[in-house]
Amino acid sequence: MELTLKHLCLCFMVSVFFVSAQAQHIEKEINQLIDKMTLEEKVGMIHANSSFTSGGVERLGIPEMVSSDGPHGVRPEHGRDWVLDEGVDDAGTYLPTGLSLASTWNKRLGYQYGAVLGSEARYRGKDVILGPGVNIIRSPLNGRNFEYLSEDPYLTAQMAIGYIKGVQDQGIAACVKHYAANNEEIDRGTVDVRMSERALREIYLPAFKAAVEDANVYAVMGSYNKFRGQYATHHEYLVNKILKGEWGFKGLLMSDWGSVHDTKEALLFGTDLEMGTDLVLMYSSVSQTEANATEKLSSNLYDRFFLADTAIKMVRNGSIPVEVIDDKVRRILRVMYQTQMIDGKRNNGEYNTKEHQQLALKVAEESIVLLKNENQFLPLKKKEIKTIAVIGENASRENAMGGGSSQVKAKYEITPLAGLKNYLGDAVNITYTRGYKIERDITADAGLIAEAVEAAKNADAVVLVGGWTHGYDYSKWNDNAYDAEGTDKPDMILPFGQNELISEVLKANPNTVLVFIGGGPVEMHSWIANAKSIIQAWYPGMEGGNALAKIIFGEVNPSGKLPMTFPKKLEDSPAHKLGDFPGKNGVANYNEDIYVGYRYFDTQKIDPEFAFGHGLSYTNFSYKKLMVSELANNELKVSLKVKNTGKEDGAEIVQLYLHHQYHKEDRPEKELKAFDKIYLKAGEEKLVEFILPESSFQFFSTDANKWEMGSGNYNLLVGSSSRAIKLQRQILR
Ligand code: BGC
């Protein structure tokens, strides 16, 4: 035993030595490269030289660096400009989007998801994938919530860690975005976000911190917004002090596309690479003085970026030391070494494999959330149904190319209608009616509703697919788009007259399954009492329709749970009730502070429509024997037994929350500290174990301005959602 332990220690020390010797060797090589570079060559590396590339140094064997969105598939090719290439093989795997991934609560899937993305990026010749998006879902309205993960920092961090490792194990850099406090799209380029230090540390930063410290992310993307008066991409506090200082981030901070506003700030406050967007836009954002100053140096527009000719000039006139540039180049080179861009030993990656498509299916199956299922209405029984009426434009609409920069050209996309047809074949007669028209500002269409009602009356069951939309393609991404970059939803009210449609269809045929596509909740009060079953499908990727059909007919038992609270109405939501959204006079005050999502609803005892962590199954689970024991290092071991008490195999997401009973600083009613997804055959029981590190009990003290241990009594709460606590126990820390 002793010998084995000694052996292990020795092996560990040898490998640490080997890794650090190798790291030192790489640092040495990087420094040698920098020594050989001219100032122009260095600066050529710290800004874009086309829409998705930044400069290399050919004579030294340093290639250009190629980035691509991101986050749920490799973006279509643009060549070097913004016009989509024609006739290229860029239709790939379209994964369910970030919100879907988080709804699986399956960390292993997070890794596999990243691995598919990394592998496809590799095949397509990319070096950096612009994802994951980890901005906290502060309001249900944010147009990019569909790309993000959760309202909860712990769930967000856990899913992001897997994703990043998955991408990077394929030899591709992940680029976690958008750092930081980019929680709305309207005015995203100008809004000044103000929040307390505690909210920053407890809610908005943990996922970024985990990306750096636990997943060793190679790149971070700065965001468009300002934070406490300064642009986040070149932010002395966020970037220099926290990211690169406190967390020791050694990688590359790139800008969002066009998020740099000032050369000196970008040089001094941590921006390592300036990426850009539409050239005309970029040109107009360069101040006239700077434009004039750089005019003579070059006629190339990319040379007019903030981190281009002006930077050269500043070094030349002595206002910026060259070491500032060297540091940026060093960080870029590190990423190049980490992704084997320089030594050339790269694998080829894989594209559109059956395995990748199967993973897209698995994520979709595990992410779809069964919100309501009165009297076990679902699953539908194939044998008992002769005619099914599928209603709603979202049933037949493809989404891959929508939403903005995250667009994907999907190899194929199975819509809900196609999925039902695949699943049912000729055995069931499927009728399809549109029900509503996806057009901005359009209200209920009486003709379409009458047609849908008629179809519903003549069917044994109805599947009505509604919800939000995002535009069809990049050039018109805001057309009819609610879930899209650059826009936020105006409210939570279903657009296109869908409420009228749903009410009428429910009256015509109560055997209706309501399915919602989209990046967040809708108001349901006018018809929810009459709805037997409701499914939240998010944007479920290329295999989404197949996954949905399998769930509706019970071939797959639903196991997704909400990563965000679904409020009854927008006004209940803390960002809208207490804070500013999207902001007033250019400033967004996050007055709700740490009370985001369920932290607010549960503390204020406001009933949501569906709670954080909620999701039903076709089976039932019982929880028992909650045990707690102390481990070394102040860690706590928590165990319990969960049993599948029903007749179907299924999966449960066991959630552990902490409630701090009394403390001088406010604590939320409960906070998620651990979770696990377990798979149980009918009748099977399993032991579930969690280890809570000391940090689970810490909070960010406003008085001391640092993390502190929260001592006193806690309730340890274990349950199947933030509102369905099954077991609890008091502990003292
Ligand atoms: C988005 C980023 C994206 C970048 C490149 C920006 O507008 O905010 O998320 O990665 O464009 O497409």
Side-chain angles (χ1 to χ4, degrees):
M1 174 67 188
E2 206 186 72
L3 195 72
T4 328
L5 208 66
K6 267 189 196 158
H7 267 115
L8 277 176
C9 288
L10 200 68
C11 278
F12 178 71
M13 281 158 65
V14 169
S15 65
V16 168
F17 174 77
F18 181 72
V19 170
S20 67
Q22 203 188 16
Q24 273 174 23
H25 175 71
I26 289 175
E27 288 296 307
K28 204 169 141 199
E29 276 194 26
I30 289 175
N31 285 335
Q32 283 165 354
L33 277 174
I34 293 176
D35 285 347
K36 288 182 198 149
M37 289 165 73
T38 65
L39 178 61
E40 285 74 7
E41 284 170 337
K42 290 175 186 172
V43 172
M45 287 185 69
I46 65 169
H47 64 85
N49 64 359
S50 84
S51 51
F52 282 97
T53 58
S54 53
V57 183
E58 215 182 328
R59 81 178 173 92
L60 297 175
I62 302 172
E64 287 184 340
M65 194 161 75
V66 187
S67 301
S68 173
D69 288 291
H72 44 262
V74 185
R75 192 173 176 172
E77 295 301 324
H78 285 94
R80 299 189 73 87
D81 53 28
W82 287 96
V83 184
L84 284 187
D85 288 356
E86 306 246 344
V88 284
D89 179 20
D90 59 354
T93 299
Y94 165 42
L95 293 160
T97 74
L99 252 180
S100 292
L101 178 62
S103 299
T104 70
W105 296 59
N106 180 340
K107 296 174 217 173
R108 290 167 295 274
L109 272 188
Y111 180 88
Q112 290 163 10
Y113 184 106
V116 167
L117 204 51
S119 173
E120 300 225 338
R122 198 81 188 209
Y123 179 92
R124 291 265 301 274
K126 313 296 180 194
D127 307 310
V128 182
I129 268 289
L130 305 172
V134 302
N135 294 104
I136 290 293
I137 298 181
R138 173 179 177 247
S139 154
L141 302 188
N142 183 353
R144 290 185 87 173
N145 281 346
F146 74 97
E147 290 184 63
Y148 299 146
L149 299 169
S150 172
E151 68 187 23
D152 180 78
Y154 180 76
L155 176 58
T156 305
Q158 293 305 307
M159 299 311 295
I161 290 171
Y163 177 124
I164 292 164
K165 288 185 176 169
V167 168
Q168 295 192 165
D169 282 355
Q170 298 297 314
I172 293 286
C175 179
V176 67
K177 65 189 186 185
H178 310 85
Y179 188 74
N182 181 184
N183 309 95
E184 64 193 49
E185 285 300 293
I186 291 177
D187 298 336
R188 67 175 176 173
T190 51
V191 68
D192 183 10
V193 175
R194 309 273 171 95
M195 69 173 82
S196 73
E197 191 62 18
R198 186 172 179 203
L200 179 70
R201 300 291 185 149
E202 289 191 10
I203 307 292
Y204 295 95
L205 291 189
F208 291 103
K209 184 169 190 268
V212 173
E213 293 184 347
D214 302 328
N216 185 28
V217 75
Y218 299 159
V220 177
M221 185 189 292
S223 58
Y224 283 120
N225 52 286
K226 290 181 197 152
F227 179 76
R228 297 182 188 155
Q230 188 170 44
Y231 278 107
T233 297
H234 30 85
H235 203 281
E236 195 171 11
Y237 187 62
L238 287 177
V239 182
N240 281 0
K241 170 132 192 338
I242 298 180
L243 177 71
K244 295 183 175 178
E246 284 178 31
W247 304 342
F249 177 62
K250 296 273 178 296
L252 142 72
L253 180 101
M254 68 166 76
S255 71
D256 200 339
W257 269 233
S259 71
V260 174
H261 294 265
D262 183 273
T263 301
K264 193 165 181 187
E265 286 204 4
L267 286 172
L268 295 181
F269 301 153
T271 322
D272 301 312
L273 172 60
E274 180 186 8
M275 295 305 290
T277 191
D278 181 68
L279 288 179
V280 179
L281 204 91
M282 282 308 301
Y283 186 55
S284 63
S285 71
V286 174
S287 77
Q288 207 43 53
T289 356
E290 271 179 297
N292 290 341
T294 57
E295 192 84 32
K296 291 190 194 77
L297 282 167
S298 172
S299 57
N300 180 341
L301 283 171
Y302 282 103
D303 293 340
R304 296 178 190 183
F305 271 34
F306 291 97
L307 288 186
D309 286 354
T310 314
I312 296 181
K313 208 170 143 234
M314 284 183 163
V315 175
R316 287 258 155 77
N317 72 19
S319 51
I320 296 288
V322 72
E323 288 74 21
V324 168
I325 311 284
D326 291 353
D327 178 62
K328 298 180 194 305
V329 174
R330 187 172 295 115
R331 286 167 180 275
I332 294 169
L333 286 171
R334 266 186 208 130
V335 176
M336 291 185 163
Y337 273 92
Q338 280 160 325
T339 54
Q340 294 99 32
M341 283 173 67
I342 298 223
D343 61 16
K345 281 186 256 141
R346 314 187 87 191
N347 67 33
N348 295 329
E350 291 191 315
Y351 204 51
N352 288 325
T353 62
K354 195 78 204 142
E355 289 72 32
H356 290 184
Q357 292 157 5
Q358 284 302 307
L359 197 270
L361 175 65
K362 176 118 177 86
V363 175
E365 288 174 356
E366 288 209 17
S367 67
I368 291 173
V369 184
L370 179 59
L371 294 173
K372 183 175 180 193
N373 195 22
E374 218 170 71
N375 302 324
Q376 276 91 46
F377 172 63
L378 288 178
L380 298 181
K381 289 164 202 69
K382 195 170 164 179
K383 283 197 194 115
E384 292 172 11
I385 289 172
K386 294 205 175 51
T387 302
I388 220 171
V390 178
I391 298 172
E393 191 161 332
N394 269 348
S396 61
R397 188 172 165 98
E398 294 180 356
N399 290 302
M401 282 295 278
S405 59
S406 65
Q407 62 175 190
V408 179
K409 208 186 280 174
K411 184 76 182 166
Y412 60 84
E413 181 175 348
I414 310 290
T415 63
L417 180 60
L420 286 164
K421 283 186 176 161
N422 286 346
Y423 189 81
L424 296 171
D426 296 333
V428 174
N429 175 32
I430 299 180
T431 61
Y432 173 66
T433 52
R434 204 171 162 199
Y436 57 91
K437 251 191 242 155
I438 294 185
E439 269 171 41
R440 210 25 131 177
D441 300 327
I442 253 267
T443 48
D445 182 313
L448 290 180
I449 293 182
E451 197 187 9
V453 163
E454 198 50 33
K457 276 186 188 156
N458 293 324
D460 301 314
V462 177
V463 176
L464 194 163
V465 187
W468 303 109
T469 61
H470 43 218
Y472 274 115
D473 69 45
Y474 167 72
S475 53
K476 1 179 187 144
W477 79 36
N478 282 338
D479 265 8
N480 313 316
Y482 289 84
D483 289 315
E485 198 173 331
T487 185
D488 295 319
K489 300 178 197 78
D491 47 44
M492 260 175 52
I493 297 165
L494 271 170
F496 321 128
Q498 291 181 72
N499 280 328
E500 290 87 329
L501 172 74
I502 292 173
S503 299
E504 292 305 314
V505 168
L506 287 175
K507 258 189 249 157
N509 189 339
N511 290 334
T512 294
V513 189
L514 296 177
V515 177
F516 290 107
I517 300 292
V522 299
E523 258 190 33
M524 299 183 181
H525 68 87
S526 61
W527 41 257
I528 189 167
N530 302 327
K532 288 188 180 176
S533 69
I534 308 175
I535 289 177
Q536 181 63 39
W538 314 113
Y539 288 102
M542 70 199 300
E543 284 282 343
N546 287 336
L548 185 66
K550 287 185 183 184
I551 284 180
I552 291 177
F553 285 91
E555 190 180 316
V556 167
N557 192 348
S559 66
K561 297 214 184 212
L562 292 180
M564 66 189 292
T565 305
F566 274 23
K568 282 186 192 290
K569 52 185 192 309
L570 184 66
E571 301 76 63
D572 289 343
S573 173
H576 299 271
K577 199 160 178 175
L578 307 174
D580 300 329
F581 186 99
K584 288 192 195 100
N585 304 323
V587 176
N589 281 304
Y590 288 19
N591 297 328
E592 72 282 8
D593 205 57
I594 56 169
Y595 293 94
V596 175
Y598 69 91
R599 282 171 169 73
Y600 174 75
F601 284 84
D602 291 3
T603 307
Q604 295 303 322
K605 308 206 176 354
I606 295 167
D607 283 339
E609 198 64 86
F610 296 106
F612 175 80
H614 167 79
L616 302 171
S617 164
Y618 295 149
T619 189
N620 294 309
F621 301 96
S622 73
Y623 289 53
K624 65 177 182 197
K625 291 213 173 116
L626 181 61
M627 314 273 278
V628 181
S629 57
E630 295 278 348
L631 301 176
N633 306 327
N634 281 334
E635 286 179 347
L636 209 63
K637 182 170 159 187
V638 179
S639 67
L640 68 144
K641 287 193 170 159
V642 178
K643 184 172 180 179
N644 180 344
T645 55
K647 294 196 180 68
E648 305 288 330
D649 299 350
E652 173 67 316
I653 295 159
V654 183
Q655 302 158 43
L656 188 157
Y657 298 86
L658 284 179
H659 164 76
H660 197 181
Q661 285 181 5
Y662 169 76
H663 198 267
K664 61 180 174 12
E665 296 206 35
D666 271 19
R667 299 296 297 261
E669 175 66 20
K670 60 176 85 75
E671 292 181 289
L672 183 73
K673 295 295 173 180
F675 63 87
D676 199 6
K677 185 165 196 171
I678 49 164
Y679 300 79
L680 295 167
K681 300 248 171 254
E684 195 187 356
E685 181 175 89
K686 270 191 188 161
L687 179 72
V688 181
E689 285 183 339
F690 300 111
I691 307 285
L692 294 183
E694 197 181 74
S695 57
S696 300
F697 298 88
Q698 288 180 337
F699 71 104
F700 193 85
S701 160
T702 305
D703 292 347
N705 200 36
K706 62 176 173 72
W707 288 96
E708 281 191 346
M709 185 66 193
S711 51
N713 282 330
Y714 283 85
N715 291 348
L716 205 144
L717 311 163
V718 179
S720 59
S721 84
S722 85
R723 291 289 177 113
I725 300 303
K726 312 278 185 178
L727 299 172
Q728 54 176 300
R729 206 174 159 134
Q730 185 166 310
I731 52 167
L732 182 68
R733 298 310 283 166

